[in-house]
Amino acid sequence: MTQPHTHKRYLTLNDHLRARYGRKVFKVPLDAGFTCPNKDGTAGTGGCVFCSPSGSGDYAGDQALTLREQFDTIRERLHDKWPDAAYIPYFQANTNTYADLDTLRACFDQAAGFHPDVVAIAIATRPDALENDVIDYLDSLSNRVDVTLELGLQSMHDETGQRINRGHDLNTFDAAVMRLAKTGVEIVVHIINGLPGETPAMMLDTIKHLNTLPIHGVKIHMLHVMKRTALGEDYEKEPFPLLVLPAYVDIVVEQLRYLRPDIVVHRVTGDSPKEALLAPAWTLKKFVVMNEIDKRLRALDARQGDCYKKKTD
Ligand code: SF4
């Protein structure tokens, strides 16, 4: 199968957005001040063990500013260099569908109208925080502007989910995906490699499971051990082994080779603020990690989906 890659051996978000909108597109991370059912006792307390006080929104806008101000601050910074760019307001911090419908409608309707160059809205959330009326609303919103929901799965393995205090299970995730698949909302799934107790085979299982679902994108992260998290506190008491860069590259390359070719790869590694990161330090060199993945794919003459294809032909 020919893939619309320009320079990578996998279908990058950048290529996908350029193909769809015909120009450079930036995501603008925002903090709408929501909380999370895995922190307030509804689904759990304490949150996922890796989650920072900002609710995994370390690059989101300043909560002291209005959403509009957060968006304008970033857009203005980018506009000089990229005057023709389009934008996607990205509700990143915490669980962005965890509020009543009126509140959500006010946020997302407002974001859709921030600027004529807003082409889509991206919303990070949990699969257990999607009421039917919210899904119906997002479906209707998707008639006006593209809408992407980013769902945190991290791993398909429920024993890992329990270990990281995820507070929902695979059945809940699968059911949410199938409900969303009946709407105009696109689905992107966040996964994390290197979670406690996971082997490379388990991480590959997660990709193989995603291949069976009607999803549109995946974000692949390395586990970051951050300060002021439950995981970080454990690590500071007694450091535990984490994946080294070559092992991470091996795992991601294998995951890409098995990944369904139509699934857009939003990320192959994450980043976190240097001052908040305890380990592993190599994750700070995001471009090195991406280059190593590219190099390995080239050396193997491999690309996204080549193993998926072999299995299904
Ligand atoms: S679901 Fe997201 S915001 Fe909530 S605790 Fe987990 S990582 Fe943090």
Side-chain angles (χ1 to χ4, degrees), residues 22-297:
R23 50 186 166 151
K24 178 83 181 158
V25 183
F26 291 103
K27 283 174 84 173
V28 178
L30 302 173
D31 187 340
F34 295 122
T35 176
C36 173
N38 200 25
K39 292 178 175 173
D40 72 3
T42 303
T45 50
C48 304
V49 294
F50 52 80
C51 184
S52 61
S54 69
S56 297
D58 298 294
Y59 290 107
D62 181 349
Q63 212 189 100
L65 302 177
T66 65
L67 285 173
R68 181 63 195 251
E69 288 166 343
Q70 292 178 41
F71 177 82
D72 285 347
T73 304
I74 296 179
R75 185 187 165 277
E76 278 158 22
R77 212 181 296 149
L78 294 166
H79 183 70
D80 285 345
K81 188 165 176 209
W82 303 91
D84 299 324
Y87 296 90
I88 302 177
Y90 173 32
F91 290 82
Q92 182 184 39
N94 280 303
T95 299
N96 293 279
T97 55
Y98 188 48
D100 62 83
L101 183 59
D102 287 344
T103 305
L104 297 176
R105 198 195 295 270
C107 272
F108 303 144
D109 281 0
Q110 182 196 164
F114 274 159
H115 193 276
D117 288 330
V118 167
V119 290
I121 293 180
I123 302 163
T125 192
R126 292 169 56 86
D128 58 354
L130 285 165
E131 299 293 338
N132 287 335
D133 59 352
V134 173
I135 291 184
D136 289 346
Y137 159 67
L138 293 175
D139 188 22
S140 70
L141 182 63
S142 72
N143 293 322
R144 284 189 277 143
V145 63
D146 290 342
V147 178
T148 301
L149 266 197
E150 302 199 4
L151 292 177
L153 174 64
Q154 323 315 350
S155 166
M156 69 157 287
H157 299 283
D158 281 340
E159 65 268 32
T160 305
Q162 283 167 11
R163 217 174 280 131
I164 62 172
N165 196 38
R166 185 178 57 188
H168 64 73
D169 61 12
L170 184 65
N171 284 340
T172 305
F173 170 82
D174 287 354
V177 169
M178 298 317 288
R179 282 156 71 216
L180 289 165
K182 296 186 187 128
T183 72
V185 174
E186 297 197 357
I187 307 162
V188 174
V189 182
H190 291 210
I191 65 171
I192 297 180
N193 288 330
L195 289 169
E198 289 238 324
T199 62
M202 292 169 81
M203 300 173 217
L204 190 57
D205 287 343
T206 297
I207 290 290
K208 290 178 180 173
H209 182 71
L210 293 183
N211 285 339
T212 69
L213 297 173
I215 66 158
H216 304 82
V218 65
K219 268 188 183 174
I220 303 174
H221 294 262
M222 169 61 198
L223 178 67
H224 289 165
V225 182
M226 314 260 289
K227 292 175 188 164
R228 301 172 67 207
T229 65
L231 195 68
E233 281 170 20
D234 288 349
Y235 190 85
E236 283 178 310
K237 274 185 222 138
E238 192 175 338
F240 43 81
L242 295 164
L243 290 178
V244 294
L245 176 58
Y248 183 75
V249 170
D250 282 347
I251 290 162
V252 173
V253 165
E254 195 73 350
Q255 289 176 317
L256 291 174
R257 298 190 70 181
Y258 276 88
L259 185 66
R260 221 173 60 214
D262 62 282
I263 295 178
V264 179
V265 181
H266 287 231
R267 276 176 176 271
V268 289
T269 182
D271 48 8
S272 55
K274 187 177 179 187
E275 59 284 1
L277 184 75
L278 288 169
W282 58 261
T283 58
L284 293 171
K285 295 182 181 154
K286 192 171 137 189
F287 290 102
V288 171
V289 180
M290 291 163 68
N291 285 340
E292 289 301 313
I293 290 168
D294 289 341
K295 263 165 50 185
R296 187 71 55 83
L297 285 167

